[in-house]
């Protein structure tokens, strides 16, 4: 029996050296990247002098209207710059002036951030005139007039006057009123079809991640209920939608109808490469009164900031995908407030995540202690388990399993207790999986060589694409994979090998897991990889401290011997397991007897 002689110096030194190597590796690439960026900036300045930017002409989006005949009008405040086109009376450009978009050419977030630009959004109201001809306002030419923070666009269609009145308000809000006069002389319809086609612009570094977060969002039942659709055809023909929006990773475009949209449906398709991520098409009806279209709407072009979204009191906060039920509660009520509290101390985002990890580990430390105590107990009784397996080497596998469980029961070892830490950490893992790529306060926050903790770091470029990995290697993901592998090696020592042929070797599976984790983390938010690197490094330290300082194997052995002397009461779970095994054994015997009779 090994005696507790304090911390194993060799293991502590090895772990310290590993950490120094990993941190040195990170700092080396950070300095290398800084030099490359400086050289790239100088080259870019030279190219700008040689090749000044040329003005591009608007494309002819309507064969009946020349580019020169299209007029525009603009409104601006500190949050939004909005442009309107006389063709269709639509919002033709929306810039969020306080944010920047990622530029793939410079690898920097230095571009103006446009939610709408270059005709990626197209909407209008469609109805039939009395001859059966389909009329859509997006095809009409409006005359714009600006008065303060109001733009009025007026069109004439066969004597009917159609007005779109836009008023720019604070809090990323654009009021939108539709007024008609004389439309009842042209149409007999009692409802108009609102059609909105929207192509999601690529604004972030991680294309696949941003694409997966782009989807329809909508509220109904007087703003009380919320739903979304990111992959399938949208159909809400029975509900009246209060608002419909297209959500991106950190921003959203939403239109609210004061009297609601009915018979809503939509579809979407992914775009594999280029400037856009997804194409979404929406269609819903709005009511007409006396064949006149007089309805009030509101556009919102918003960042997905939880505090801002809640302030509208329209269920917009559900757009932020922080997870359902308990997962969402953890993010809203625990991780976000914790991050904001630590960030108020003036620390950079990476060190805020570092301290968050330590706090979470301190909270989970009692559970980890129980897990490692169980591991130590299993190590102590390993000779008895091996002895049972040797005695029953040729016996029925079911009988061997029953004998093994009996050893555990007498020693007072509950194998199921080892599942508790894993079960507790699953919701935490999923909450953080939702937290890091969607928390806008982390957007654009760099740490070491990661320029944005909500996207992957790609300092190591690959000359080709690897399936499921991409064309880069994330250093944070690599470092995280290494410490997970070390942690796996340290914790798999007490794992039993399969006793039956054809059963998987759990040790091998555990070693494969960290490698598969690399494929998952390589294109995920680097903040998530950094968190799990720190988390698993702390796990390793905790194991060493618990194993060599806190736990004493002699005391554990004495406790097990004392447990054997005590009368045992069979727990409900143990009883159920025993009964199931006995039943299975009886069925196996019955099958063997039937086979013997047939012979």
């Amino acid at each position: 029996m090994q005696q507790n002689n304090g911390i194993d110096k060799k293991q502590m030194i090895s772990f310290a050296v590993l950490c120094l190597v990993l941190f040195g590796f990170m700092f080396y690439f950070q300095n290398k990247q800084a030099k490359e960026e400086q050289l790239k900036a100088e080259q870019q300045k030279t190219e700008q002098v040689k090749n000044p930017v040329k003005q591009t002409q608007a494309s002819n989006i309507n064969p009946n209207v020349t580019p020169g005949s299209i007029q525009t009008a603009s409104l601006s405040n500190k949050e939004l710059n909005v442009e309107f086109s006389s063709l269709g009376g639509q919002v033709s450009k929306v810039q969020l002036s306080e944010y920047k978009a990622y530029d793939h050419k410079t690898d920097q977030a230095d571009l103006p951030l446009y939610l709408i630009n270059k005709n990626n959004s197209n909407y209008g109201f469609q109805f039939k005139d009395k001859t059966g001809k389909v009329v859509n306002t997006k095809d009409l030419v409006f005359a714009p007039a600006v008065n303060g923070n109001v733009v009025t666009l007026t069109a004439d269609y066969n004597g009917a006057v159609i007005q779109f009145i836009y008023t720019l308000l604070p809090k990323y809000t654009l009021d939108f009123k539709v007024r008609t006069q004389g439309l009842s002389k042209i149409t007999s319809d009692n409802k108009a079809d609102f059609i909105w086609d929207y192509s999601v612009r690529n604004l972030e570094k991680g294309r696949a991640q941003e694409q997966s977060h782009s989807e329809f969002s909508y509220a109904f039942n007087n703003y009380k209920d919320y739903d979304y659709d990111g992959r399938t055809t949208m159909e809400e023909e029975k509900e009246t939608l209060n608002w419909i929006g297209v959500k991106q990773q950190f921003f959203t475009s939403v239109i609210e109808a004061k009297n609601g949209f009915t018979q809503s449906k939509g579809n979407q398709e992914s775009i594999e490469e280029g400037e856009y991520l997804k194409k979404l098409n929406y269609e819903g009806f709005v009511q007409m009164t006396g064949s006149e279209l007089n309805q009030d709407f509101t556009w919102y072009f918003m960042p997905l900031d939880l505090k801002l979204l809640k302030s509208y009191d329209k269920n917009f906060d559900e757009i932020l995908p922080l997870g359902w039920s308990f997962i969402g509660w953890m993010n809203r009520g625990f991780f976000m407030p914790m991050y904001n509290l630590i960030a108020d101390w003036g620390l950079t985002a990476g060190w805020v995540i570092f301290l968050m990890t330590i706090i979470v580990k301190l909270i989970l430390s009692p559970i980890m202690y129980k897990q490692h105590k169980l591991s130590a107990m299993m190590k102590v009784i390993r000779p008895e388990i091996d002895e049972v397996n040797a005695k029953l080497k040729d016996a029925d596998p079911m009988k061997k399993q029953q004998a093994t469980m009996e050893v555990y029961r007498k020693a007072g070892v509950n194998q199921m207790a080892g599942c508790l830490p894993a079960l507790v950490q699953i919701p935490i893992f999923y909450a953080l999986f939702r937290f890091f790529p969607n928390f806008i306060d982390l957007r654009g926050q760099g740490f070491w060589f990661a320029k944005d903790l909500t996207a992957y770091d790609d300092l190591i470029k690959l000359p080709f694409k690897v399936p499921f990995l991409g064309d880069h290697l994330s250093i944070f993901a690599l470092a995280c994979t290494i410490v997970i592998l070390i942690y796996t090696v340290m914790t798999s020592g007490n794992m039993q090998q399969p006793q039956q042929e054809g059963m998987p070797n759990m040790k091998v599976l555990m070693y494969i897991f960290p490698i598969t984790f690399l494929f998952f983390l390589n294109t995920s938010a680097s903040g998530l990889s950094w968190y799990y690197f720190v988390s698993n490094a702390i796990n390793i330290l905790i194991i060493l401290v618990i194993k060599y300082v806190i736990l004493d194997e002699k005391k554990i052995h004495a406790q097990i011997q004392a447990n054997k002397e005590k009368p045992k009461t069979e727990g409900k779970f143990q009883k159920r397991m025993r009964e199931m095994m006995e039943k299975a054994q009886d069925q196996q015997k019955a099958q063997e007897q039937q086979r013997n009779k047939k012979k």
Side-chain angles (χ1 to χ4, degrees):
M1 188 63 59
Q2 181 183 346
Q3 194 170 348
N4 180 8
N5 295 317
I7 297 175
D8 188 317
K9 291 182 180 179
K10 288 183 180 180
Q11 286 186 286
M12 290 297 288
I13 291 170
S14 299
F15 179 69
V17 169
L18 173 69
C19 287
L20 287 173
V21 169
L22 287 174
F23 277 93
F25 186 58
M26 292 176 179
F27 278 116
Y28 167 75
F29 277 104
Q30 181 189 18
N31 293 333
K32 183 181 177 183
Q33 183 190 29
K35 291 177 182 177
E36 288 176 354
E37 286 176 358
Q38 186 178 358
L39 182 63
K40 193 187 293 182
E42 290 174 0
Q43 290 174 346
Q44 192 178 355
K45 287 179 183 177
T46 306
E47 289 174 4
Q48 286 175 348
V49 172
K50 291 180 180 177
N51 304 305
V53 178
K54 296 179 180 178
Q55 294 291 330
T56 56
Q57 297 295 321
S59 59
N60 190 357
I61 59 175
N62 190 310
N64 301 317
V65 180
T66 62
S69 67
I70 300 173
Q71 294 178 278
T72 60
S74 300
L75 295 174
S76 296
N77 59 18
K78 68 175 185 176
E79 298 157 342
L80 295 176
N81 296 321
V82 186
E83 184 178 276
F84 307 88
S85 173
S86 62
L87 181 61
Q90 304 176 69
V91 175
S92 57
K93 190 178 291 185
V94 174
Q95 179 191 2
L96 276 68
S97 54
E98 296 174 322
Y99 294 89
K100 294 291 183 181
Y102 177 76
D103 186 352
H104 290 270
K105 294 179 181 177
T106 63
D107 196 28
Q108 298 286 342
D110 54 10
L111 292 176
L113 195 150
Y114 292 102
L115 291 183
I116 296 176
N117 196 17
K118 300 180 182 178
N119 309 314
N120 71 306
S121 176
N122 194 10
Y123 61 90
F125 299 90
Q126 185 172 283
F127 53 88
K128 289 182 180 179
D129 67 12
K130 292 183 178 180
T131 67
K133 180 182 177 182
V134 175
V135 180
N136 195 314
T137 60
K138 71 176 183 176
D139 300 321
L140 304 179
V141 177
F142 289 71
V146 181
N147 182 15
N149 67 329
V150 180
V151 168
T152 303
L153 293 114
T154 307
D156 185 286
Y157 180 74
N158 292 345
V161 177
I162 301 173
Q163 279 193 332
F164 290 172
I165 305 163
Y166 296 95
T167 306
L168 185 60
L169 302 172
K171 288 176 63 177
Y172 304 94
T173 304
L174 181 67
D175 186 66
F176 174 33
K177 289 180 169 57
V178 179
R179 298 290 183 263
T180 66
Q181 189 174 358
L183 197 63
S184 57
K185 296 177 182 178
I186 297 169
T187 181
S188 301
D189 285 353
N190 58 7
K191 60 185 178 182
D193 194 358
F194 176 72
I195 298 174
W196 182 24
D197 301 324
Y198 190 96
S199 294
V200 177
R201 296 173 60 81
N202 183 194
L203 305 175
E204 312 299 332
K205 182 174 182 176
R207 180 184 181 87
Q209 184 171 251
E210 186 181 11
Q211 189 180 60
S212 69
H213 284 88
S214 299
E215 58 198 9
F216 280 122
S217 298
Y218 50 94
F220 52 95
N221 191 20
N222 196 25
Y223 302 93
K224 293 176 184 176
D225 295 322
Y226 168 83
D227 209 344
Y228 68 97
D229 196 295
R231 288 161 296 278
T232 60
T233 301
M234 171 198 165
E235 292 184 9
E236 288 289 355
E237 296 186 357
K238 295 182 180 179
E239 301 290 349
T240 298
L241 304 193
N242 304 113
W243 53 259
I244 175 73
V246 175
K247 170 200 164 296
Q248 296 176 231
Q249 188 174 355
F250 293 108
F251 304 94
T252 185
S253 301
V254 173
I255 183 167
E256 175 192 15
K258 296 299 187 291
N259 292 316
F261 296 108
T262 58
Q263 294 177 275
S264 295
K265 58 183 179 180
N267 58 73
Q268 54 200 297
E269 59 179 301
S270 297
I271 302 171
E272 295 309 316
E273 57 183 19
E275 190 177 353
Y276 302 103
L277 303 171
K278 261 188 180 181
K279 185 177 180 181
L280 298 99
N281 309 105
Y282 170 77
E283 182 180 358
F285 288 94
V286 292
Q287 205 64 34
M288 297 174 72
T289 305
S291 295
E292 296 287 344
L293 180 56
N294 294 301
Q295 292 286 352
D296 293 347
F297 304 88
T298 307
W299 281 103
Y300 301 90
F301 304 102
M302 306 174 288
L304 294 178
D305 177 89
L306 185 60
K307 187 177 180 181
L308 172 72
L309 297 173
K310 279 187 171 183
S311 69
Y312 295 101
D313 197 26
K314 295 180 186 293
N315 215 8
F316 286 153
D317 54 301
E318 290 288 353
I319 300 175
L320 194 57
L322 296 175
W324 294 99
S325 187
F326 178 67
I327 304 297
W329 177 87
M330 272 201 297
N331 278 324
R332 289 179 173 87
F334 182 66
F335 286 116
M336 280 188 174
M338 186 198 303
Y339 179 92
N340 292 327
L341 178 65
I342 300 172
D344 287 342
W345 301 347
L347 297 174
T348 59
W351 293 116
V352 173
I353 294 171
F354 181 84
L355 290 180
M356 284 176 64
T357 314
I358 292 175
I359 292 170
V360 172
K361 284 297 164 190
L362 287 172
I363 293 171
L364 295 177
S365 57
I367 296 172
M368 286 197 70
Y369 171 77
K370 288 183 179 180
Q371 181 186 23
H372 292 295
K373 184 178 178 182
L374 172 66
S375 179
M377 292 176 76
M378 292 179 72
K379 181 181 177 182
V380 169
I381 64 170
R382 170 58 64 83
E384 296 182 44
I385 299 293
D386 292 340
E387 187 180 343
V388 168
N389 289 333
K391 284 182 180 179
L392 301 174
K393 185 178 179 181
D394 300 321
D396 181 81
M398 194 74 69
K399 187 178 289 184
K400 192 187 295 185
Q401 188 65 29
Q402 284 179 320
T404 302
M405 289 183 66
E406 183 64 20
V407 174
Y408 284 129
R409 191 181 70 83
K410 287 182 178 179
V413 175
N414 182 5
Q415 288 179 287
M416 293 303 296
C419 300
L420 180 61
L423 292 174
V424 169
Q425 291 184 63
I426 286 172
I428 294 175
F429 173 84
Y430 188 69
L432 292 168
F433 171 72
R434 287 288 191 174
F435 174 80
F436 285 108
N438 294 295
F439 187 40
I440 198 167
D441 289 14
L442 281 173
R443 184 180 185 267
Q445 296 293 319
F447 184 63
W448 288 346
F449 36 80
K451 295 179 179 178
D452 187 342
L453 286 167
T454 63
Y456 56 83
D457 68 273
D458 57 351
L459 202 55
I460 303 176
K461 305 282 188 180
L462 299 177
F464 48 82
K465 281 192 175 182
V466 178
F468 307 108
L469 197 65
D471 58 358
H472 69 277
L473 279 176
S474 164
I475 296 176
F476 274 126
L478 277 172
C480 184
T481 301
I482 291 169
V483 294
I484 292 176
L485 190 57
I486 294 170
Y487 176 74
T488 303
V489 171
M490 293 180 69
T491 55
S492 62
N494 295 315
M495 183 167 291
Q496 283 188 283
Q497 295 300 311
Q499 298 170 12
Q500 300 178 42
E501 291 185 9
M503 293 290 287
N505 190 323
M506 294 305 295
K507 278 192 177 183
V508 173
L509 291 178
M510 285 187 72
Y511 295 148
I512 291 173
F513 172 74
I515 309 303
T516 58
F517 216 60
L518 172 64
F519 287 83
F520 167 73
L521 290 175
N522 198 55
T523 54
S524 298
S526 53
L528 184 66
S529 300
W530 169 237
Y531 175 91
Y532 277 101
F533 169 79
V534 177
S535 177
N536 283 281
I538 293 173
N539 280 346
I540 292 170
L541 285 174
I542 290 174
I543 288 173
L544 292 173
V545 171
I546 290 176
K547 183 176 181 180
Y548 294 107
V549 177
I550 299 175
L551 290 179
D552 187 330
E553 288 189 4
K554 290 185 74 175
K555 289 183 179 179
I556 291 172
H557 185 267
Q559 181 185 339
I560 288 174
Q561 297 307 317
N563 288 340
K564 290 180 180 179
E565 300 298 325
K566 293 178 183 177
K568 292 291 177 292
T569 55
E570 196 173 32
K572 289 182 179 179
F573 176 80
Q574 290 174 320
K575 183 180 179 182
R576 194 174 302 167
M577 285 293 293
R578 178 180 56 77
E579 289 174 349
M580 287 173 61
M581 292 177 74
E582 287 175 353
K583 188 176 180 181
Q585 200 169 12
D586 291 340
Q587 288 176 349
Q588 189 175 356
K589 287 179 180 178
Q591 289 172 357
E592 287 178 0
Q593 288 174 357
Q594 286 179 356
R595 282 197 294 266
N596 292 331
K597 285 180 181 179
K598 289 179 180 179
K599 289 178 181 179

